[in-house]
Amino acid sequence: MGLPRYVAARVVWAAVVSLVIVTITFGLMAAAPNPAVQEAATQAALEGGDPEEAVERERELRGLDEPLHVRYADFLRGVYTLNWGWSDLQNRPVSEALSEALFYTAQYSVPWTVLTLLIGPLIGVYSAANMYSWRDHLATGVAFFGYAIPNFFFGIILLLLFGVYLEWIPVVYNTDVAVFSLENARQLAIPVFVLVTGSIGAIMRVSRNESAEFRNADFMKTAKAKGVSPLRAYAYHVMRPTMVPLSTTVVGQLLAIFLGSSLLVEVVFGIPGLGRLTFDALIAQDTNLVLGTTLLFTFVAVVGNLIEDIVFTVLDPRISYDDR
Amino acid sequence: MTSEKPDRFDRVDWSAYEGSGGVDPSVNTVGAIGTTLPLVALFVYDRQFVGEREATFGAVGLEADWSGLEYLFAFTLILFVWYVLVPLYQNPRMTRYYWREFTRNRPAVVSLGWLLVVFVGGLLGPLVVSAPEQSVLAGHQPPVYLSIDTANVAQCLGEVRGGRCYGTWEYPLGTTRGGKGVFRSIVYGMRISVQIAFITTTIVATIGITFGTVSAYAGGWVDEAMMRFVDVVLSFPTLLMFLLILYIYGAGLGMFIVVFSLFAWGGTARYVRSKSLSVSEETYVSAARISGASTTRIVRRHVVPNTASSIVTQLTLLVPGFLLAEAQLAFLGLGDTSLPSWGQLIAAGRSDLGFAPWIVVAPGIVLFLTILAFNFLGDALLDALDPEAAAEVER
């Protein structure tokens, strides 16, 4: 199997996975009573009307009285044509609410990802080059600290310290400031810092352990013998083979943190991004919006895994496509 | 494992290989079944003869009322004793070797000590320490040696000096807004954490090992289908799915444990499969097969023990993730608020952070230390159980 066929197979597979997840989501929604229907019944009972009738009306209104397969087909069409319905909470289409939230999420996600990918492998390789020195121990300590401290807890503590006591950063997130301004950098510094410390540890550890393997490899001895400077030797001969195994874990880990922590960090810092939107939708029982955010995160995860697999095979020519 | 090596070939105990066809329960299996039966009996008794609102141990004068989760927890403890602790005792030579390797890593020993504190505290703490109780008058008491402005407390239980209220030993870590002792809440939270750790670990290990070995030995399209299924499981956004389930059905701790462990075994299964495939190429497996050992026996005696080291490491790194997820959900107010977990405590103190930071800081630090301990432990176990990995690092 050649590369194009492999990529095609992976893309098809990613589509299948997304379909499975969408189907499970639909199954979950279909099997449970719809909160909106229940609300209509309660409303009718409170106003002295007939709850049964109200339930019927609400079901008809939402198309729930149709047979399951028709609803499933409708659901699939809606999901894949990005027609994700109307959000009662935000009073606008779900896709519009999502794209606006994405704008705020991207403002801290992009610097966070870039910083993690830049600093993580660098410190990891540096750590391996100075293995068992105090610098290595310091880096290991920082890695473990960042990995172990719960992001939301760390966020609260830093907010308390810098926002409330020292008053260096604003406590409330301000959406009015321009994206590329000092104000915005100041209010996003702590969230980005918290996320970077949380995600950098794992990457640092992997790159440290991986590059430790190449440190005493024959090609490094050759490089040293012919007088290559240590910096160049590490940059060209250690960094490159280290990136291959690293790339398999990086995307998965970043995604896991993105899904979990963005929610927490946005709630703690009051950033009106995707995580916050999910949270608000859950609290307000806005079914369409909950579905929309869930599906968006799911698609990001599926596409992320797809890219990871493809990048992995492109980076490492030794991998045979039949293997997977 | 047939660890006693006969000194001569003609003295090889062939019956050890012959018995593989039939069922030959080991001491551990007998012990595990023997201790599980009373538990099942207790469960049946609880469901059939004890009233809905009555305590399980009411007949012997104890207050404790067991939910389904407690039974599951007790069962996992039984498995832990018979399949982890007893085998360590049965193989003293290997145990001493592991221990020697393990103690070379000093942070890991400290971590193990801390996890033991959490484990014992979770197991026995609730029997010693009484449950934290609401009492509005005792709200916002500071920890001992610390003080708080008297304007922030309804009533100071300790001494008042210069307009500041000092903490008392009755509440060593202070109290929450509702007057619950933070220290007691942390002890009760240990129980929740230990339960999460044990039950999820058992479920993940069972499914992962079974799935991985079956997939490796079935081969062909079965293997392919099973591994593609693992792909789906791995790319499942668990936290979001849990939020969705929570939104639709509502969910307590039991649901949390089930959902998270049902979507966490993918990595374990994948690893066990690849390890099984490589182990089955080894000469000792061929030797066992030529001697007439069945596939089941090879899997149980050679494949699973050889994957154990990495599974243990993987699980020690998985558990902190679960603890963190529970705390996160609790913090968002999406967990079971009646549960005395660390996350709930952090969530409860969030609004009073400005003047009563101990409510958040104390459980936060405990959670941090526990996750840190698991990480150090995983790192050390990797070196101790897998000599190849250690050699690789030292080379």
Side-chain angles (χ1 to χ4, degrees):
Chain A
M1 200 176 354
L3 184 63
R5 252 194 91 188
Y6 173 77
V7 172
R10 281 298 309 170
V11 171
V12 170
W13 178 242
V16 172
V17 170
S18 82
L19 185 67
V20 169
I21 294 175
V22 167
T23 306
I24 291 176
T25 312
F26 174 76
L28 280 173
M29 305 294 284
N34 191 322
V37 174
Q38 280 173 325
E39 202 178 302
T42 321
Q43 198 69 29
L46 280 176
E47 286 166 6
D50 182 12
E52 303 261 326
E53 195 184 310
V55 166
E56 280 305 309
R57 199 160 358 100
E58 187 72 23
R59 282 174 66 87
E60 209 176 293
L61 202 68
R62 291 177 180 269
L64 290 176
D65 52 345
E66 286 183 54
L68 202 62
H69 62 95
V70 176
R71 274 163 58 200
Y72 180 57
D74 275 352
F75 183 76
L76 281 190
R77 198 176 313 126
V79 166
Y80 286 103
T81 53
L82 297 184
N83 181 9
W84 290 3
W86 184 266
S87 160
D88 294 334
L89 174 70
Q90 301 250 334
N91 220 358
R92 54 181 170 169
V94 168
S95 41
E96 203 182 300
L98 286 180
S99 59
E100 196 194 298
L102 194 61
F103 172 68
Y104 290 109
T105 298
Q107 284 184 25
Y108 71 86
S109 292
V110 171
W112 158 53
T113 315
V114 169
L115 282 177
T116 306
L117 291 182
L118 275 183
I119 301 175
L122 273 182
I123 299 185
V125 172
Y126 180 78
S127 207
N130 299 293
M131 203 172 250
Y132 302 121
S133 68
W134 66 269
R135 294 188 198 87
D136 175 34
H137 287 305
L138 181 73
T140 308
V142 171
F144 273 145
F145 174 82
Y147 190 67
I149 197 158
N151 271 339
F152 69 96
F153 174 67
F154 198 31
I156 295 175
I157 298 297
L158 290 182
L159 199 61
L160 182 71
L161 191 64
F162 293 112
V164 179
Y165 290 145
L166 297 175
E167 292 178 6
W168 288 355
I169 55 160
V171 179
V172 182
Y173 183 82
N174 186 1
T175 52
D176 294 333
V177 299
V179 179
F180 296 102
S181 64
L182 208 60
E183 283 297 297
N184 203 27
R186 224 172 65 172
Q187 66 182 359
L188 288 177
I190 295 291
V192 169
F193 177 72
V194 167
L195 283 168
V196 167
T197 50
S199 57
I200 212 171
I203 290 172
M204 230 150 87
R205 288 305 284 176
V206 173
S207 48
R208 174 184 179 272
N209 295 344
E210 289 296 338
S211 52
E213 259 182 65
F214 305 112
R215 199 163 58 115
N216 294 331
D218 290 342
F219 57 78
M220 276 301 276
K221 285 179 190 150
T222 314
K224 212 178 286 169
K226 69 178 184 181
V228 175
S229 75
L231 188 69
R232 192 186 156 88
Y234 273 101
Y236 279 85
H237 299 301
V238 173
M239 206 65 163
R240 270 175 67 182
T242 305
M243 292 311 279
V244 177
L246 194 63
S247 70
T248 59
T249 49
V250 157
V251 178
Q253 270 159 356
L254 285 185
L255 278 177
I257 293 176
F258 175 64
L259 297 180
S261 298
S262 71
L263 217 143
L264 270 305
V265 166
E266 282 178 14
V267 170
V268 168
F269 291 97
I271 303 168
L274 280 175
R276 184 65 191 268
L277 192 67
T278 315
F279 180 66
D280 288 345
L282 275 168
I283 298 296
Q285 304 231 316
D286 186 341
T287 309
N288 284 339
L289 199 54
V290 172
L291 253 182
T293 50
T294 312
L295 290 175
L296 184 71
F297 276 120
T298 307
F299 288 146
V300 168
V302 170
V303 171
N305 282 321
L306 173 72
I307 294 174
E308 174 188 299
D309 271 2
I310 292 175
V311 166
F312 185 45
T313 39
V314 170
L315 272 184
D316 194 344
R318 289 168 303 182
I319 293 173
S320 93
Y321 306 114
D322 302 317
D323 231 23
R324 307 214 355 116
Chain B
M1 223 178 289
T2 47
S3 51
E4 323 87 70
K5 283 199 201 104
D7 46 1
R8 277 167 52 192
F9 186 68
D10 56 343
R11 289 200 191 149
V12 170
D13 181 14
W14 294 110
S15 62
Y17 294 98
E18 277 164 15
S20 60
V23 183
D24 51 337
S26 61
V27 184
N28 310 50
T29 318
V30 173
I33 294 175
T35 36
T36 308
L37 284 179
L39 187 72
V40 173
L42 182 68
F43 181 70
V44 172
Y45 164 77
D46 190 11
R47 287 296 122 102
Q48 293 295 323
F49 301 105
V50 181
E52 191 87 351
R53 301 264 161 214
E54 286 170 46
T56 310
F57 299 104
V60 285
L62 283 172
E63 289 275 313
D65 188 17
W66 277 23
S67 61
L69 207 62
E70 302 274 347
Y71 286 103
L72 204 55
F73 177 49
F75 178 61
T76 56
L77 279 183
I78 290 174
L79 290 182
F80 177 70
V81 168
W82 288 105
Y83 289 107
V84 177
L85 293 186
V86 174
L88 282 180
Y89 174 76
Q90 285 164 336
N91 302 310
R93 195 180 61 84
M94 281 315 279
T95 308
R96 270 199 300 276
Y97 167 74
Y98 286 147
W99 182 247
R100 215 170 39 242
E101 287 291 310
F102 182 75
T103 45
R104 281 168 54 183
N105 193 334
R106 222 169 301 147
V109 178
V110 177
S111 303
L112 189 69
W114 169 252
L115 290 180
L116 273 179
V117 167
V118 173
F119 176 67
V120 173
L123 216 56
L124 304 177
L127 298 178
V128 182
V129 182
S130 57
E133 277 167 22
Q134 291 270 21
S135 82
V136 183
L137 284 179
H140 293 150
Q141 298 296 322
V144 276
Y145 303 127
L146 293 181
S147 62
I148 183 174
D149 201 307
T150 38
N152 289 323
V153 285
Q155 186 190 15
C156 187
L157 296 178
E159 55 179 314
V160 181
R161 261 180 290 154
R164 296 191 73 79
C165 173
Y166 282 80
T168 58
W169 277 106
E170 193 188 348
Y171 299 108
L173 292 177
T175 60
T176 63
R177 172 193 290 269
K180 285 186 178 177
V182 171
F183 177 73
R184 288 182 190 176
S185 304
I186 288 178
V187 171
Y188 272 74
M190 284 179 184
R191 187 176 183 82
I192 308 285
S193 303
V194 172
Q195 282 182 341
I196 294 176
F198 269 80
I199 300 176
T200 49
T201 308
T202 311
I203 298 179
V204 168
T206 312
I207 303 182
I209 294 172
T210 316
F211 211 89
T213 45
V214 167
S215 177
Y217 274 86
W221 67 268
V222 179
D223 180 29
E224 185 69 16
M226 284 175 98
M227 278 303 114
R228 288 294 85 90
F229 182 67
V230 168
D231 279 353
V232 176
V233 169
L234 276 175
S235 53
F236 226 77
T238 315
L239 186 69
L240 283 169
M241 268 303 139
F242 181 74
L243 288 184
L244 202 62
I245 290 174
L246 182 90
Y247 167 66
I248 302 170
Y249 299 100
L253 184 63
M255 184 59 117
F256 167 81
I257 289 178
V258 168
V259 169
F260 271 79
S261 41
L262 281 187
F263 287 105
W265 52 267
T268 314
R270 218 182 229 185
Y271 183 80
V272 170
R273 173 181 170 271
S274 68
K275 190 80 186 179
S276 307
L277 287 177
S278 67
V279 166
S280 60
E281 302 281 308
E282 297 279 346
T283 37
Y284 58 83
V285 171
S286 313
R289 192 174 293 128
I290 295 167
S291 314
S294 69
T295 308
T296 330
R297 190 184 177 82
I298 292 175
V299 168
R300 277 186 49 205
R301 295 279 157 139
H302 299 291
V303 175
V304 173
N306 272 302
T307 53
S309 67
S310 320
I311 294 172
V312 168
T313 312
Q314 220 173 25
L315 289 176
T316 51
L317 297 178
L318 212 59
V319 171
F322 290 126
L323 295 183
L324 198 56
E326 194 279 329
Q328 290 180 337
L329 286 169
F331 176 74
L332 289 175
L334 300 173
D336 184 352
T337 41
S338 64
L339 216 62
S341 73
W342 296 336
Q344 292 293 351
L345 200 56
I346 297 178
R350 202 188 152 199
S351 52
D352 309 332
L353 199 59
F355 59 93
W358 57 85
I359 310 172
V360 170
V361 173
I365 289 176
V366 172
L367 181 64
F368 165 64
L369 288 179
T370 308
I371 296 174
L372 194 65
F374 269 111
N375 281 314
F376 275 124
L377 195 67
D379 228 37
L381 283 177
L382 184 68
D383 291 349
L385 296 177
D386 193 355
E388 279 170 34
E392 219 165 65
V393 172
E394 273 158 31
R395 216 189 313 139

